[in-house]
Amino acid sequence: MSGPHVIRGSVSLPEAELMWRFSRSSGPGGQHVNTSDSKVELSFDLAKTEALPEVWKQRALERLAGRLVDGVVTVRSSEHRSQWRNRESAAVRLAALLAEATAPPPKPRRKTRIPRGINERRLREKKQRSETKRGRSERGWS
């Protein structure tokens, strides 16, 4: 692996808590495909980890509830022909997923009113446009 995969700040994925599984990728291939396990499944036990701060862990458990199986999040990668590149891809994908899931909630939107002058100008322009169109009618052309 090319170093620790940082989630955010100084928090990174601990290599000891990552569980790897390898299997044969689906799809067409040559003689090599029957003997190489290039598909990668990377699992991370989110419920039992000590690597994440408690607040982040609770946030991630709530946001990833649909993806978790017994508190474990799993990422699969089989887009590359090389097991090594699939390992890298799965680790990066898991780090990105955890970074998104542990991000703080966005600031609440402050309600603002449309300034009165803008509304008046819009109505004035609308009235002017209707006058222009009414002047194009056939009423006074005889």
Side-chain angles (χ1 to χ4, degrees), residues 1 3-7 10-20 42-46 48-53 91 94-95 98:
M1 297 289 295
H5 293 280
V6 177
I7 295 174
S10 63
V11 179
S12 60
L13 287 173
E15 191 63 40
E17 294 185 19
L18 300 178
M19 295 164 280
W20 300 93
L42 175 58
S43 299
F44 181 68
D45 197 342
L46 191 56
K48 295 180 184 171
T49 187
E50 296 295 324
L52 298 176
L94 179 64
L98 289 175

Side-chain angles (χ1 to χ4, degrees), residues 81-134:
R81 293 174 66 177
S82 156
Q83 185 189 96
W84 181 260
R85 289 180 66 192
N86 281 331
R87 283 177 61 126
E88 286 290 318
S89 174
V92 167
R93 199 177 302 160
L94 179 64
L97 181 70
L98 289 175
E100 187 178 327
T102 59
K107 290 182 181 177
R109 180 186 175 275
R110 284 178 46 198
K111 290 185 178 178
T112 57
R113 289 184 54 207
I114 298 173
R116 201 173 86 201
I118 291 177
N119 215 13
E120 288 175 357
R121 186 177 64 206
R122 180 184 62 85
L123 293 173
R124 193 170 47 250
E125 289 171 0
K126 189 172 175 179
K127 189 170 227 160
Q128 191 175 9
R129 183 80 178 147
S130 73
E131 289 295 327
T132 301
K133 289 192 171 194
R134 191 177 318 139

